[in-house]
Amino acid sequence: MGLAGWLRAWLNPPVPAHISAALQQAQFDSVRKQVPMLLAVAALNTAIIMSVCAHENLPPSHYMWMTGLIGYCVIRICIWVHRLRKPIDPRDIPRLLRINVAASLIMMTGLGIATTYTFIAGTFQSMLLIPMSLGFGATSIAHCLYTLRPAAIGTILIGLFPSSTAMIIMGPFEAQMLGVAMISVGILMVRFVSEQYRQLITSLLLAAENQQLALTDPLTGLGNRRAMMAALDTELAAGTRFAVALIDLDGFKQVNDSLGHQAGDQLLVEVANRLSGHIAQGDAVGRLGGDEFLILFRNVAGKDDCDARAATMLAALGQPVTYAGKPVKFGASLGFAICGIDASDGEALLQHADRALYAAKRGEAAFADQRAPAIAA
């Protein structure tokens, strides 16, 4: 990895893919609160510096350029506030964050160049006024924008180091000591921002892990009832054509009673593995509880399509499970309901699928000795 690659990785370390969306949302939530306030404070501080310059009777040509910075801050505040009045598409968040990082670094680059030049040229009577103001501003901005690591660290490096280096090389003793102090503060701030960002990533990873635990059946590793109901609600909101299928095992109680709950648990795990290994691409399977499973058939073409997928699921459960070296026979029944045909809301879909399931079980009861899987719609 070259220097440029190392620098990019240091400024913006890679993030686990499963929390990238949550990180972007956290960054955007922080930015939308902080940026307008930071720009307002920057405009106010610039106006204060201009007032000090005017009080010292400096020629307006020495400080009137600062009105451009104030105008820039005001324009960005107006644009930002206007943009946030509209609903934000989550797909636009990465672009908005990149724009904010670029805008912050461009502003700080301009200020860093102007501050270093004014110090070297001795433009102001109070030589340290602008470098110190920029130093305080840079550290404050970096603290507020720690979720945007490139913007925060870039603000510190651009806002503190050029002017501090100029103070050390060309300034009197007091300016040199202040330059050293500002660089040391900058190094500490970079360390602080890095640690804050690391803690943010850790907290997001922990939240994702907790959410995964809350949505996962601990025995089978499938989605639990909460996860499957959330997936069902998502499909309803999207308005796609899908179906819900309920699967119930026949003879599961007998397995528990005759062989024990450990055998029953192994049976459930094997059923979960077979279902998840045979579902069509894009479909989802979860365990609702006990020996009942739910499958979301997504992008269904109609009843024949659902029949074919259901037959595949039941065929996957057609072979016995081996426990303690012996085959354990079981059966399965399945009922499904198609959204938009059988029902149009989640509760009604589940009720229709449940009725279809028990219709399949009644058909199964007539052939109990054969243990043939049954299906109904």
Side-chain angles (χ1 to χ4, degrees):
M1 180 185 295
L3 178 60
W6 175 86
L7 183 60
R8 284 195 300 270
W10 178 68
L11 285 174
N12 198 19
V15 175
H18 68 285
I19 66 165
S20 60
L23 174 61
Q24 290 174 355
Q25 187 63 55
Q27 291 172 326
F28 184 72
D29 291 342
S30 176
V31 165
R32 73 188 305 170
K33 296 175 184 176
Q34 302 288 358
V35 167
M37 180 180 65
L38 289 175
L39 291 171
V41 171
L44 176 62
N45 287 343
T46 303
I48 292 174
I49 294 175
M50 292 182 66
S51 300
V52 172
C53 295
H55 179 73
E56 293 180 350
N57 295 318
L58 291 177
S61 59
H62 286 189
Y63 59 86
M64 286 305 294
W65 61 269
M66 297 181 188
T67 57
L69 175 59
I70 295 176
Y72 171 82
C73 292
V74 172
I75 292 173
R76 277 200 65 196
I77 290 174
C78 293
I79 294 175
W80 192 248
V81 171
H82 175 72
R83 184 68 179 85
L84 293 182
R85 287 177 179 173
K86 303 177 181 179
I88 302 298
D89 188 333
R91 293 173 295 183
D92 289 338
I93 289 180
R95 180 179 61 84
L96 292 173
L97 291 175
R98 288 193 298 268
I99 291 174
N100 188 76
V101 170
S104 299
L105 294 181
I106 290 172
M107 182 181 72
M108 291 306 302
T109 299
L111 288 175
I113 293 173
T115 300
T116 304
Y117 171 78
T118 55
F119 179 83
I120 293 174
T123 303
F124 300 101
Q125 296 177 14
S126 302
M127 293 181 60
L128 301 182
L129 174 63
I130 292 184
M132 290 182 63
S133 298
L134 182 60
F136 287 131
T139 54
S140 299
I141 292 173
H143 177 77
C144 293
L145 297 183
Y146 78 92
T147 59
L148 289 177
R149 181 177 164 118
I153 294 180
T155 293
I156 296 169
L157 297 180
I158 298 171
L160 284 178
F161 282 52
S163 57
S164 298
T165 301
M167 291 162 62
I168 293 172
I169 294 175
M170 305 187 64
F173 180 76
E174 293 82 359
Q176 291 176 336
M177 293 300 98
L178 183 58
V180 172
M182 290 173 64
I183 288 179
S184 65
V185 169
I187 294 173
L188 290 175
M189 279 299 302
V190 168
R191 182 71 182 88
F192 171 79
V193 166
S194 300
E195 179 62 19
Q196 288 288 91
Y197 186 81
R198 186 192 67 80
Q199 291 181 8
L200 173 62
I201 298 300
T202 300
S203 66
L204 291 175
L205 287 171
L206 182 60
E209 181 180 351
N210 289 337
Q211 183 180 29
Q212 182 65 25
L213 290 174
L215 298 176
T216 302
D217 175 57
L219 176 63
T220 64
L222 298 177
N224 59 15
R225 177 181 291 272
R226 179 185 298 177
M228 297 308 294
M229 292 304 101
L232 175 59
D233 290 340
T234 300
E235 293 299 317
L236 288 169
T240 59
R241 175 64 67 86
F242 71 98
V244 293
L246 294 177
I247 295 179
D248 188 84
L249 303 184
D250 304 316
F252 179 72
K253 184 177 185 301
Q254 288 82 350
V255 173
N256 271 339
D257 292 343
S258 60
L259 299 177
H261 289 284
Q262 186 174 359
D265 288 348
Q266 182 172 326
L267 173 59
L268 291 173
V269 171
E270 179 61 25
V271 167
N273 291 338
R274 293 184 187 183
L275 291 176
S276 59
H278 287 80
I279 59 174
Q281 184 176 5
D283 290 353
V285 59
R287 180 187 176 205
L288 298 184
D291 61 339
E292 190 173 26
F293 296 81
L294 184 148
I295 303 177
L296 284 179
F297 293 151
R298 293 189 170 103
N299 301 315
V300 298
K303 185 177 183 301
D304 291 341
D305 185 17
C306 288
D307 284 333
R309 298 194 203 187
T312 299
M313 295 296 97
L314 291 175
L317 304 180
Q319 297 299 318
V321 172
T322 301
Y323 178 74
K326 298 180 180 180
V328 178
K329 295 183 179 181
F330 68 98
S333 301
L334 183 151
F336 64 79
I338 304 174
C339 182
I341 296 178
D342 299 312
S344 298
D345 64 84
E347 184 177 354
L349 278 169
L350 291 174
Q351 290 175 351
H352 188 98
D354 195 55
R355 289 194 298 269
L357 170 65
Y358 280 95
K361 275 189 171 296
R362 287 193 296 270
E364 165 78 8
F367 307 96
D369 57 326
Q370 300 180 25
R371 308 306 304 156
I375 179 175

